[in-house]
Amino acid sequence: MAKLVVRCFTLSLDGFSAARDQSLENPFGTNGIQIMEWAFATKTFRTMFGQDGGSTGIDDSFAASADVGIGANILGRNMFGPRRGPWRENEDWKGWWGPNPPYHTPVFVLTNYPRPSIPMEGGTTFHFVTEGIEVALKRAFEAAKGLDVRLGGGAHVIRQYLRAGLVDELHLVLTSKLLGAGERLFEGTDSISKMYECVEYRPSETVTHVRLHKRA
Amino acid sequence: MAKLVVRCFTLSLDGFSAARDQSLENPFGTNGIQIMEWAFATKTFRTMFGQDGGSTGIDDSFAASADVGIGANILGRNMFGPRRGPWRENEDWKGWWGPNPPYHTPVFVLTNYPRPSIPMEGGTTFHFVTEGIEVALKRAFEAAKGLDVRLGGGAHVIRQYLRAGLVDELHLVLTSKLLGAGERLFEGTDSISKMYECVEYRPSETVTHVRLHKRA
């Protein structure tokens, strides 16, 4: 059966997935991007950005498998862009990723404000869902045609799906970076802690990969 | 110069150092003790509890070095015992650890309620400090006679020392256990995050050891 999965979701040592003050220049908030250094060092990420080289060990293996078997993605509005509130007239923002985003699937963006879908190069189409997380998930499963759906984040969106008991698997990446403040993944999630068990604990030289599955 | 250090302070995946509902039976709160499994598996801990065997790898190395160079300890009241409020008349509680506690140094217990010092076997003496964290630290440094002072916890006490800029080094142990709720180490500690840098990141097969030093 198709699953809802979180992959490569990275946390600071103090538990944050992004720092404060997200902006066009700082998609992860001020100094927040440092938690992603592990990923940027991998061959998979470097290739994605048109660069040579990069590591080919444990971190790369996880980075490379992040979109394997994924037929659709779900993102929160803040992962799609830095702006808040209604979309502007003649809106030209099409995500952080340029003309060919790294999703290559339908992407369902949770928002309070309707907007027409945006087809991009490489198979990505952004759809904007205003009817909440369950409708977004239903549409994503339909679009995925039997493949899994990846929940990209941010933390606030993942928490909503966790509380609703809808997330089947999480792959988290623990780093040694301190962000001090920002968005916490595990906040008000006490009711869900018993629902998951650790199925893999795999440290690399720089971060620790933890995979959690929902208990049967 | 003598330092104030935190060693082997263990966190759940969701950032807690203890679960809710600490009690005589559950010093780490309900199901909280699971985060210490890494330590109980080490030769150092097993020896401390009079048991044979145990691991001798990375985890044991950190466990064994936890009290090296330590001349005094500081604990919060909740780490000393499960009771709250004034000490009872004819108080017989002398800590969780039996007649010969594993400190073997003077131990300064932060409390709001005065109580005479308690000499124990093996070099441990419990002193009760009602004048706050700075007085406790001053007394601990004096008692340590040039050695370092170890801050045992709990999280609430470590946070107080962190906010006051008094902690020189932290060794944290990251686990893959979910506690759901409890005491968080990194809560309202945004001002301190820039003060520390990671000087060692050392995963074992079961947990990840992270050492932080205060920046010069």
Side-chain angles (χ1 to χ4, degrees):
Chain A
M1 221 175 96
K3 295 187 290 281
L4 179 61
V5 302
V6 172
R7 292 194 185 150
C8 292
F9 195 74
T10 304
L11 300 176
S12 69
L13 179 60
D14 40 1
F16 303 106
S17 61
R20 281 191 183 136
D21 301 322
Q22 188 196 36
S23 66
L24 184 59
E25 295 74 26
N26 295 307
F28 283 76
T30 307
N31 295 319
I33 197 75
Q34 61 178 315
I35 67 171
M36 296 306 293
E37 282 172 13
W38 74 271
F40 296 141
T42 63
K43 183 175 175 60
T44 295
F45 265 68
R46 291 184 63 86
T47 302
M48 197 194 306
F49 291 110
Q51 298 169 311
D52 291 334
S55 71
T56 56
I58 291 169
D59 292 345
D60 188 57
S61 162
F62 276 101
S65 65
D67 56 7
V68 171
I70 300 298
N73 283 271
I74 297 175
L75 300 181
R77 164 77 183 268
N78 298 359
M79 278 204 64
F80 178 70
R83 292 184 198 145
R84 307 292 179 262
W87 307 100
R88 299 179 195 170
E89 214 174 326
N90 302 317
E91 179 72 63
D92 60 355
W93 179 262
K94 296 177 179 175
W96 307 97
W97 307 275
N100 187 354
Y103 295 104
H104 313 297
T105 71
V107 176
F108 296 86
V109 179
L110 291 157
T111 169
N112 292 316
Y113 305 96
R115 183 178 169 183
S117 298
I118 310 174
M120 306 289 290
E121 294 171 20
T124 299
T125 300
F126 293 113
H127 301 289
F128 300 87
V129 182
T130 57
E131 299 93 340
I133 64 168
E134 304 209 1
V135 168
L137 185 58
K138 186 165 180 289
R139 289 185 59 189
F141 273 134
E142 285 166 8
K145 296 180 175 149
L147 295 178
D148 292 335
V149 172
R150 181 179 174 190
L151 183 55
H156 176 67
V157 169
I158 297 177
R159 283 201 308 270
Q160 289 181 61
Y161 279 98
L162 283 171
R163 289 196 193 117
L166 295 170
V167 180
D168 298 294
E169 301 179 4
L170 297 99
H171 159 223
L172 304 177
V173 185
L174 313 184
T175 73
S176 59
K177 312 288 182 179
L178 287 166
L179 292 187
E183 262 212 273
R184 243 190 237 287
L185 176 61
F186 291 112
E187 181 83 65
T189 42
D190 41 327
S191 62
I192 65 97
S193 68
K194 291 190 181 64
M195 294 170 56
Y196 292 86
E197 61 187 335
C198 177
V199 296
E200 186 175 10
Y201 168 90
R202 178 76 65 92
S204 73
E205 285 173 19
T206 52
V207 296
T208 300
H209 300 270
V210 176
R211 286 175 54 228
L212 305 172
H213 281 190
K214 190 153 77 167
R215 293 175 197 274
Chain B
M1 221 176 95
K3 294 187 289 282
L4 179 62
V5 302
V6 172
R7 291 195 185 149
C8 292
F9 195 75
T10 304
L11 299 176
S12 69
L13 179 59
D14 40 2
F16 303 107
S17 60
R20 282 189 183 137
D21 302 323
Q22 188 195 35
S23 67
L24 185 59
E25 295 73 26
N26 294 307
F28 283 77
T30 307
N31 296 318
I33 198 75
Q34 61 178 313
I35 66 171
M36 296 306 293
E37 281 172 14
W38 74 271
F40 296 140
T42 62
K43 183 174 175 61
T44 295
F45 266 68
R46 290 184 63 84
T47 302
M48 197 193 307
F49 291 110
Q51 298 169 310
D52 290 335
S55 70
T56 55
I58 291 170
D59 292 345
D60 188 58
S61 162
F62 276 100
S65 65
D67 56 9
V68 171
I70 300 298
N73 283 270
I74 297 175
L75 299 180
R77 162 78 183 267
N78 298 359
M79 278 202 66
F80 178 72
R83 292 186 197 142
R84 307 291 179 263
W87 306 102
R88 298 180 196 170
E89 216 174 324
N90 302 317
E91 180 74 62
D92 60 356
W93 180 263
K94 296 177 180 176
W96 308 96
W97 307 276
N100 187 353
Y103 295 104
H104 313 296
T105 70
V107 176
F108 296 86
V109 178
L110 291 158
T111 170
N112 292 315
Y113 305 97
R115 183 177 169 185
S117 297
I118 309 173
M120 306 290 289
E121 294 172 21
T124 299
T125 301
F126 292 113
H127 301 287
F128 300 88
V129 182
T130 56
E131 300 94 338
I133 63 168
E134 304 208 1
V135 168
L137 185 58
K138 186 165 179 290
R139 289 185 59 188
F141 273 133
E142 284 166 7
K145 296 181 176 150
L147 294 177
D148 292 337
V149 173
R150 181 179 173 189
L151 183 56
H156 176 67
V157 169
I158 298 178
R159 282 201 308 271
Q160 289 182 60
Y161 279 99
L162 282 172
R163 289 196 193 115
L166 295 170
V167 181
D168 297 295
E169 301 179 5
L170 296 100
H171 160 221
L172 304 176
V173 185
L174 313 184
T175 73
S176 59
K177 312 289 183 181
L178 286 167
L179 293 186
E183 262 212 272
R184 242 189 238 287
L185 177 61
F186 292 111
E187 182 84 64
T189 41
D190 41 328
S191 62
I192 65 96
S193 67
K194 291 188 181 67
M195 293 169 57
Y196 292 86
E197 60 187 336
C198 176
V199 296
E200 186 174 9
Y201 168 90
R202 179 76 64 94
S204 75
E205 285 174 18
T206 53
V207 295
T208 301
H209 299 271
V210 176
R211 287 175 55 227
L212 304 172
H213 281 189
K214 191 152 76 166
R215 293 177 196 274

